[in-house]
Amino acid sequence: MKSKRWKTAVLIAWLFALALSLLTPAVSRADGAVTVAEAIARNSGTATVEGYIVGVVQSGSGASVTYSLSAPFTVETNIALADRPNETDRNKILPVQLPPGAIREALNLKAHPENVGKKVRITGSLAAYFAVPGLKAPTAYSWVESATSRVEPVTAAPGPEAVPEGTFIRLVTATEGATIYYTVDGSEPTTSSFVYREPIPAEAMTIKAFAVKEGMEPSVVSVFTYSVLTQAVRIHDIQGVGHRSPWDGKQVTGVEGIVTYVPDANHLYMQDPKPDNDERTSEGIFVYKPSHGAKPGDMVLIDGAVTEWLMEGYAEKADTDLTVTEIDASKGSLRIVQSGQPLPAPVVIGRDRALPTEVIDNDGFSEFDPNEDGIDFFESLEGMLVQIEEPKVIGPQKYGQIPVVPQSIPVDTRAGGLRLSENDANPERILLYVQDRTFVAKTGDSFAGPVTGVMSYRYGNYNVLVDHERLPRLLEGAVSPETTDIVPDPDQLTIASYNIENFSARSSDEKANQLADDLVYRLKSPDIIGLMEVQDNDGETDSGATNADQTMARLIQKVKERGGPDYVYIDVAPQNNQDGGAPGGNIRVGFLYNRDRVSLADGRQGAATEAVAFTDGRLTLNPGRIDPNNPVFQETRKPLAAQFEFRGQTVIIIANHFNSKNGDAPLFGKIQPPVRPSEAKRVQIAEVVHRFVQDVLEKQPNANVVVLGDLNDFEFSAAVKTLKGSELVNMMESVPADDRYSYIYEGNSQLLDHILVSKRLASSTKADIVHINAPFMEGKRASDHDPVLIQTSLSSKEETTPQQPWTHLANVSLNRLVVQTVHAFLSVEGMSSIRDGIWLQHNAVLRGEGLRHTKVVICPVAPGAVVDFQGAVVKEVVIANRHVKEIRGAEYVQTWNIADGVDLSMIVIKRPNGEPIHPTTVRP
């Protein structure tokens, strides 16, 4: 009773609060602006946020995000807002993204430190930024005039840095007539502190200063920390212990180094000839000096400004990528002191320095630990010469990058790659940037000698810069395109899933031929194939047309030319440019099915916006799209369900192509752990498909359901686990771990393509992943995904069928025996006489001594017939028409007769042990 009274009281209080909220405005501005606190709490939708600029995000993400709240500032890609001008509680600070453009130019604190303390209104999207509530993609801003203006902040010249002895520090504020107060011991300044009247002699100290003027608010406190140089700064001093230089934004003079690598006329890498004894501090550095004229082996002295520079990368690199420490000598100097100097000895990775093999980062950059964290290990070598001994290639060359590991590092796939697992993203992967997109290398290859280059960073990854002309000889591995181990069986249904990577009627003949080869020879002509990335007839021409009939007619014809089935293609064409992918291409999912083995259940084809349902054991649309108007499918492929009939049973197959990983943070990026914003949408899509499967199985518990496709996520991901639920079994998990991948990205072998089946089918289903694409380069493959395949009987092993009854022919005397039974089992005893033979119109299994003097005529009334002689001696076999698919146990057939028009190359003939018999050996 007490609990009930408490709940009632809470309810009344809540209703009272709700009523007040309808009468009392929220804590927001009259013109619709919201406070920072409200923006943090809401963090979705579009809003105009009003607050004070208090600083910038310096590094980290989530709980480890750190803010710089005092000048000088080195970051220009974001600012931080708060409801109070002196806020220091990071839980009350909102990071704001500043994309390139006018808003960044006006607001960034690197160029405008005077903006600190100013009040501003910014309109943008409330969304996670640095894995905390933030404001992204701002579209407008305006300054908010306060009732009392604020004195401009104090700045110092030179800025906080290590300065030569005898330097004097000048303090200034842009507010005319303001008085500056300061301290030099790090204590907070007040109006009782020193009054600035003349430059301050530099020493090891921290100056804190603010300015006041009557009638105005005091400035914010500025902090400047100095040290005094007693000797020339070295490269390892500039690099420091960590991912950002302690000298960032400071001037350096006379920095000594030997040029090790020259990428172009304006940039070079150099390395300190006098290293320290600290492995955590790199001895190499990147230098920018237009028209430098230096070459490897030159000893140089550099004067310039230390910066943290963003290298090559994608459009969002300012938000995702780490920086490279650089000396910008464009306004400084480069002096060549001596030429022809020997290059520093490279660090041999895996021998001189142990390479982390499990952890990329586990502390959110809070600790610099090169011995454990891969991201810290490579940072400690930034700009240095490194060597990888006899590298093993763990993925195909792409964009001039070859993923490798040192010879001493073990691999864990049969092809010689590294498999991505739930707790190991393989930090030991090294990307060789050979700057040659035509260099041919595949998984399993290796180099005959060591590879030497300079450690750098580009496109979200550490790269070793290598001249491809200096690479040692490449040893080609044994990896070659596979053929499925699954053997076609007349009583078993084979189902494949294949992302055919933007195939259209305008794709090259080479691609069309490769795909047809894959389907016929490598996959052995599956009965049903779920296809992803089928483009419309005119490919990426944005004509508004979306049909793909010509696209698939072209592929079907290529299959037929190779002796494959006369497939039928079905899909539901999308609306123009509504399903993502390349504009105009209109990629979609669809099915090919072998009409001689499978039929499409009766039903009307759905339209792009019609939703399929399951009623009375049938799909209401066949094929039909699942919940196509759900907002989660915006710019994404809609799942397609189709119902097929095979051997008197039905199966519902759902083809999927979930949204890609675009927008996810890189593994070696500035956000640790990496954020994966794309995953939330895949989970939502998985929920939609899972609900559909649940509905089918609730209405028909013994239904045969197969869910397949490119799910763009791993077997251990939240999305795939959501799709799987308790109703489905992911058959890919039955594939051995060392073979369980369908895609290779930056050297990580990973599983993106899946086939799941309803639980009742799992025990009678086997799976295969056919590696014909992922290990190989573009131009050597038809797609970037490997196809996956299952074979099932559409019944579980627990649902056993009675032993087939044998018909025993003992001492019979007949002129001709015509067998019309669909699955006949005949035992012909020795004394039987059938003068004109046994005529088989369907599948049959035969045995017995009586076959020694009996002719068997195989004359099926429908394609796909299979006859098994189980190794018996047979007097004569006549193949009467082209409907014969396979003859088993035929080693001891004495005489063969082949009717005109029968192509023996299209018939599989086997010995009892399953070995094929060559067609030439069965000629009469």
Side-chain angles (χ1 to χ4, degrees), residues 496-500 519 529-534 552 555 569 588-592 655-657 708:
S497 174
Y498 197 178
N499 181 325
I500 56 175
L519 297 183
I529 308 164
L531 297 174
M532 294 85 234
E533 292 197 23
V534 177
M552 295 316 297
L555 181 58
Y569 176 69
R588 83 291 306 273
V589 297
F591 294 102
L592 288 173
N656 302 270
H657 186 191
L708 57 79

Side-chain angles (χ1 to χ4, degrees), residues 744-757:
I744 300 178
Y745 181 69
E746 294 177 344
N748 263 332
S749 297
Q750 52 201 262
L751 182 64
L752 300 182
D753 304 84
H754 304 260
I755 302 181
L756 300 88
V757 302

